[in-house]
Amino acid sequence: MTSSSPLHVQLYEEMIHRIRTGAWQPGDKVPSEKSLIAEFGTSRGPVRQALAALRADGMIVGGRGTPPRVQHTAPPQSFDTFISFSEWARELGLTPGQRVIEASRRSATEECARELQIAPDSPVIEIIRVRYLDEKPAMLERSLFPYEIGKHLLGTDFHHGSVTQALANVGIVPMRARHVIDAIAAHPLEVEQLHIAPGSPLLRVRRLAYNEYGTVIESADDRYLPTMATFVVENSAKHRNHLSRHTATPASGLLSVYEGANH
């Protein structure tokens, strides 16, 4: 423990890392306070503070006479900054992975053209990938790019390379994004690729990413297994009329709209 952070925060982060990496499995008993004190060479206070924070976050359950146990939780993903799937996974101590199902050129439908702000039937590049966390399927990602942007991705080694990095290499960098989050039932492709039952619930994030000039550079549809991810959006009252805003529209199933982040 050498960080400048308070000791209980360091302990909390280490325990979170153990849960995220599977060193502490769901259902496992959390080591006793006595053993944690001995392992970390600290006093009872910081250990109790760290365990209390884990309990408040829902990472562990039990206590007060019942030995605390690790609770199964999905990794949280924040929308308050630009971060790729791979970066997000690594921050959590998880190993990201991907498998490309399709990378092709096709003509834009009317809906696609409207989102990408291009003419109908214009060429677009579509990339469909399964994304993994520690070799477990986490979500199915569909991304559409205007051809002049997506052409830079053709020939990329998607299995080992990064779409974000490939675009950054040619000066295309997302600066703002709009996310729509809702819940849907799994369609046949998700059933096949995520190994789930037809109609299984999925968390969907639809994203429009913009460059510094306000031009749409990507339209994406990411469908997560709810056991593999949760979403965190932080708000401030002073920003209520600026970037962050939330609406609820039961008729369309819309849960949340958030501007100002990237996935």
Side-chain angles (χ1 to χ4, degrees):
M1 296 292 153
T2 59
S3 169
S4 59
S5 300
L7 184 54
H8 72 275
V9 174
Q10 297 179 53
L11 294 174
Y12 168 83
E13 291 175 347
E14 172 60 24
M15 294 175 192
I16 284 286
H17 176 72
R18 293 182 183 187
I19 293 172
R20 295 297 188 210
T21 58
W24 291 1
Q25 291 285 332
D28 284 354
K29 287 184 179 180
V30 176
S32 68
E33 289 183 7
K34 183 177 180 180
S35 64
L36 291 171
I37 290 168
E39 177 183 356
F40 294 114
T42 184
S43 61
R44 187 179 301 274
V47 169
R48 285 189 169 178
Q49 284 180 281
L51 292 174
L54 287 176
R55 192 174 288 107
D57 287 347
M59 304 298 291
I60 63 174
V61 293
R64 295 185 179 180
T66 303
R69 293 181 179 273
V70 177
Q71 173 84 330
H72 177 80
T73 57
Q77 182 175 164
S78 175
F79 287 104
D80 64 353
T81 188
F82 283 94
I83 188 170
S84 70
F85 179 91
S86 295
E87 291 172 318
W88 166 66
R90 293 189 184 104
E91 281 191 358
L92 295 172
L94 304 174
T95 301
Q98 59 182 313
R99 179 169 56 83
V100 178
I101 299 172
E102 182 178 346
S104 61
R105 170 176 170 166
R106 67 175 178 83
S107 297
T109 63
E110 288 190 10
E111 180 181 2
C112 171
R114 183 170 59 252
E115 290 185 340
L116 293 177
Q117 300 175 5
I118 59 178
D121 295 325
S122 295
V124 296
I125 300 300
E126 180 175 36
I127 299 173
I128 304 176
R129 297 182 289 176
V130 178
R131 309 304 300 270
Y132 295 86
L133 294 174
D134 283 350
E135 299 184 350
K136 298 177 182 178
M139 67 103 157
L140 187 74
E141 175 189 75
R142 298 172 173 87
S143 295
L144 288 165
F145 304 87
Y147 180 74
E148 290 305 310
I149 292 172
K151 68 182 181 181
H152 300 290
L153 300 174
L154 297 177
T156 299
D157 179 7
F158 292 111
H159 295 288
H160 301 96
S162 163
V163 167
T164 302
Q165 187 59 54
L167 292 179
N169 290 341
V170 293
I172 301 171
V173 179
M175 298 299 294
R176 180 172 66 87
R178 179 178 185 271
H179 296 83
V180 177
I181 307 170
D182 61 3
I184 63 167
H187 291 182
L189 186 59
E190 291 93 58
V191 170
E192 176 187 354
Q193 299 296 331
L194 299 178
H195 312 299
I196 54 179
S200 295
L202 297 172
L203 291 172
R204 176 173 63 174
V205 180
R206 285 171 286 172
R207 180 179 70 257
L208 289 179
Y210 303 80
N211 65 12
E212 60 183 317
Y213 305 108
T215 301
V216 178
I217 60 176
E218 178 193 15
S219 170
D221 181 317
D222 301 337
R223 303 187 179 190
Y224 290 82
L225 290 169
T227 56
M228 297 298 286
T230 56
F231 304 117
V232 177
V233 179
E234 294 189 5
N235 290 307
S236 171
K238 65 182 180 181
H239 293 150
R240 64 189 303 172
N241 295 319
H242 184 43
L243 287 180
S244 179
R245 64 182 187 271
H246 292 72
T247 61
T249 311
S252 65
L254 179 64
L255 298 182
S256 175
V257 176
Y258 182 76
E259 291 194 10
N262 183 41
H263 158 65

